[in-house]
Amino acid sequence: MSKIDIILVSYNTAEYTKRAIASVYEETKKTSFRIIMVDNDSKDNSVELIASEFPEVEIIQTGANLGFAGGVNVGTKASNSDYILLLNPDTVILEGAIDKLFEYAQSTPKAGVWGGITLNNDLSLNPNNARARLSFKTLLFSALGLSKAFNKSCFFNHDNYGCWDRKSEREVDVVTGCFFLTPRHLWEDLQGLDETFFMYAEEADYCIRAIKKGYQPRVTPDAKIIHHGGVSETNLSGKMLKLLKGKAELINKHAKSWEKPIHKGLLQLHVLNKLLSLKLLSLFKKDKLETLKEWQTVYEQRNEWLKGYR
């Protein structure tokens, strides 16, 4: 039996998936593992390509798009290892990252969830490897644009731990689901990911529930991957609608009753401010018009995404 079962959910990302799987085999030498690819009814050649290139990979075809959480849960039901690693298809493992992450997990068992550092394709830092849970402070500073204006500040950009240079290990609220290690006993205790979250925020929900059980997620700078992000999305508005639904659902599930309308109001203010700033910019920069249209779509559908996924 392998130490880690790697669950990779595929959806029309054939070449990225091939690259991700190849990097796992090339860079993982110390830790026994098995890869389970769950294909969410891809319309490209994902299944055929991976089956041909990597016959050792177990492929499960869902026959429908179950979303990230649904796909992961299908994969974990077919697994039996001591640890589960969620890995996005648009990632590349660097310098033995899985071996290093597993070693870190052995040394910090009380974390319950472990993650590493994410880089862009040019190896510059991508700070979206971890974040703070939603709160009045994070939502307010995001809505007012202060988290972006002062993105190196841990006060104004607490959401992304702005002053953390990612060169040290630390406790975090949420480990991003693109590179997310957790033990099977905790996974089973929490009953996996909540499939209410179709895509985005499911890992935040899992981490919040783990913290309530007495665990504290951690990140190590030694385990590095490339993460492209959002490659299965065809447009900005589609991604933002899912992301905002996920955030609204987190509020539905974890915020206090009196906090919910305030937090959702701040989500709406964030989108409104983004829309107004783009309208102003488009007067001087015509290349902003397409982005403006995307955000207009998001704002017009606010009554829908404010409900969350339920």
Side-chain angles (χ1 to χ4, degrees):
M1 185 176 72
S2 60
K3 285 288 185 182
I4 298 176
D5 279 335
I6 300 172
I7 312 298
L8 190 151
V9 178
S10 160
Y11 183 65
N12 297 325
T13 53
E15 291 300 324
Y16 282 100
T17 304
K18 175 184 172 181
R19 185 182 177 194
I21 292 174
S23 72
V24 173
Y25 285 113
E26 289 167 5
E27 294 293 338
T28 312
K29 305 301 183 183
K30 299 178 181 178
T31 312
S32 61
F33 66 91
R34 175 175 58 148
I35 298 177
I36 300 173
M37 186 185 98
V38 180
D39 187 76
N40 266 342
D41 199 28
S42 294
K43 303 306 181 185
D44 63 4
N45 64 331
S46 292
V47 172
E48 294 80 8
L49 178 65
I50 301 307
S52 172
E53 295 280 342
F54 307 100
E56 63 273 40
V57 171
E58 181 175 341
I59 299 175
I60 300 173
Q61 295 178 257
T62 62
N65 186 359
L66 305 181
F68 181 75
V72 166
N73 286 345
V74 167
T76 56
K77 286 174 184 175
S79 70
N80 58 7
S81 61
D82 293 334
Y83 288 82
I84 295 165
L85 175 66
L86 310 187
L87 184 68
N88 274 21
D90 57 348
T91 57
V92 178
I93 302 300
L94 301 174
E95 300 173 352
I98 292 175
D99 289 333
K100 292 173 181 177
L101 188 62
F102 184 66
E103 290 173 1
Y104 183 63
Q106 305 309 294
S107 66
T108 55
K110 293 183 180 179
V113 182
W114 302 270
I117 303 302
T118 53
L119 306 176
N120 297 309
N121 200 41
D122 62 0
L123 300 185
S124 61
L125 180 66
N126 178 340
N128 294 319
N129 64 314
R131 59 186 180 276
R133 64 181 295 176
L134 293 182
S135 66
F136 176 78
K137 175 182 173 181
T138 63
L139 289 167
L140 176 64
F141 290 159
S142 177
L144 297 178
L146 295 173
S147 59
K148 186 174 182 180
F150 302 99
N151 66 330
K152 298 297 184 183
S153 165
C154 268
F155 179 75
F156 288 112
N157 191 20
H158 180 62
D159 182 36
N160 276 109
Y161 302 117
C163 61
W164 177 34
D165 62 7
R166 270 63 177 176
K167 294 180 180 179
S168 59
E169 67 162 350
R170 66 165 292 167
E171 296 178 349
V172 298
D173 290 341
V174 178
V175 171
T176 303
C178 67
F179 190 48
F180 181 107
L181 182 67
T182 192
R184 175 169 298 281
H185 67 82
L186 178 57
W187 184 269
E188 292 179 348
D189 188 20
L190 296 178
Q191 299 180 359
L193 298 181
D194 182 349
E195 294 181 22
T196 302
F197 297 86
F198 181 81
M199 190 174 187
Y200 300 116
E202 63 286 304
E203 80 273 54
D205 169 67
Y206 183 96
C207 288
I208 291 169
R209 290 187 285 132
I211 290 170
K212 289 178 179 178
K213 292 280 187 178
Y215 295 90
Q216 182 57 65
R218 299 187 70 91
V219 165
T220 173
D222 296 330
K224 296 181 177 67
I225 67 166
I226 292 172
H227 181 217
H228 296 282
V231 298
S232 64
E233 291 290 344
T234 58
N235 55 55
L236 172 64
S237 59
K239 177 179 179 178
M240 288 308 304
L241 288 168
K242 293 184 181 71
L243 181 61
L244 288 163
K245 275 193 173 187
K247 288 184 176 183
E249 192 57 42
L250 275 180
I251 293 168
N252 287 339
K253 187 171 182 180
H254 295 289
K256 296 180 176 66
S257 296
W258 63 269
E259 292 176 322
K260 292 178 183 179
I262 298 171
H263 288 186
K264 287 187 178 183
L266 290 172
L267 273 185
Q268 190 171 187
L269 178 61
H270 170 82
V271 175
L272 178 60
N273 281 347
K274 184 71 176 180
L275 180 63
L276 293 176
S277 64
L278 281 167
K279 282 186 176 181
L280 181 62
L281 277 174
S282 66
L283 296 175
F284 308 97
K285 297 182 178 181
K286 298 304 179 184
D287 60 342
K288 297 294 183 181
L289 286 172
E290 285 302 315
T291 306
L292 173 61
K293 290 177 183 178
E294 296 276 8
W295 279 97
Q296 183 71 47
T297 298
V298 173
Y299 185 71
E300 289 171 353
Q301 296 187 33
R302 61 192 180 280
N303 291 333
E304 181 63 28
W305 53 257
L306 282 168
K307 296 175 185 175
Y309 275 118
R310 295 181 189 277

